[in-house]
Amino acid sequence: MNFLRILVIFSLTLSFTGCAYLHSFDSNLPEKIDQWIEEEQYGKALDTLEHVREDNRNYALLMKQKARILSLAAKLEKETIARARQLVARNEWYNASQLYQEALRKYPDSEALENAYDDFIKKRQTYLAALETRLLINKGNWLKQNASIYSRVKAALPDNYRSVDGIRDYESDQRRTTQALVECALTADSADNINLARQCVLLAERLKPALKQDPRLASIRERIGEAREARLTRYKNRITDLMAELRQGNSLDNLQRARDRLQSSGQYGTLDDETLELLDNLRKRLQEGINQRMESARRLYSQGKIQQALQIWESLHSIDPGNQQLEAHIERARRVLEKLQRLQQEGSVVSPPALQN
């Protein structure tokens, strides 16, 4: 038994480092190295060259081959890592994994490739976890959206609604999904991902209102409230700062940011009186700024500077897309410019028509 054990160990040793050691004594080693280079078996070639002694008659040639292999191996590392990152950026995770594995097969002792591959595996796990969370949230939203339909089925069959397969499946999915959402909230909270914790908690409570009294979620709800207050305070501060900038001038950037602030107010749920007043003032200031720039464009138009007027009106369109008067000005200016261009080509001169209020 001991003899067999020793034989197995000896065989395994030969199959790995032992083979490289034996190859180092081959008389035709330079030819073998060239073949391995051609096959891109850099690891095998380098392992073998590590055992070459200085008294080898081909030592100088073999060291030149080693330098070449190291250069090719470094190129393989650089190109593989760069290409894999490009694939990951396009979410081609499988192709990136295959690329790393093929490179490691050619150069298994590469520390750079091993570290990059380990980092890739972690990123892929994070990516897959994010997808699983998205699927969970989508499932929770689907269950909530269809709750009223299943409620009507129950109302139609109050005594034996559980005999309907779809009802049983729905209730089972609802239980499992609610529990998964609670676990998602707890995990996200421990990872200090308050946004995800909030999303999972609120959806779980929509599916099962009794969870609002669940003590496990009390600390999360408290943190969610604190985070909301902090976000709302930052939001109000940004509005206040923006109002001060608007008083200095109605630049397009300021007007666009004012519109963005108004549109994002729905993210904060029920707003207090202070925030509502700030938003009302911002809305009025935004409209004043739009009107002011529209009027400046009207003056340019009256002076015959139609292209400049059109540029101002078009820049305002993304800020106030529902403004019919603005759309009418843009349409008229474009028609006039087209007509002027035709007349200029014909050698005629025409004055722009007056704008209608």
Side-chain angles (χ1 to χ4, degrees), residues 1 56 97 125 133 180 207 211 215 224 270 283 302 310 341:
M1 182 65 69
N56 187 302
S97 177
Q125 291 172 340
T133 300
L207 291 174
L211 285 173
I224 290 173
T270 304
R283 192 175 293 106
S302 299
L310 178 60
Q341 186 176 10

Side-chain angles (χ1 to χ4, degrees), residues 165-216:
D165 291 341
I167 292 292
R168 292 199 303 271
D169 292 342
Y170 174 83
E171 291 182 338
S172 177
D173 281 347
Q174 187 181 44
R175 286 192 298 271
R176 287 197 302 267
T177 303
T178 301
Q179 181 57 37
L181 286 167
V182 170
E183 293 173 0
C184 165
L186 295 171
T187 302
D189 182 56
S190 64
D192 204 28
N193 187 345
I194 193 63
N195 289 332
L196 180 57
R198 173 182 176 275
Q199 196 172 7
C200 291
V201 161
L202 295 180
L203 185 52
E205 291 177 349
R206 290 176 63 198
L207 291 174
K208 187 178 179 181
L211 285 173
K212 293 179 180 179
Q213 310 303 322
D214 192 321
R216 294 177 300 169

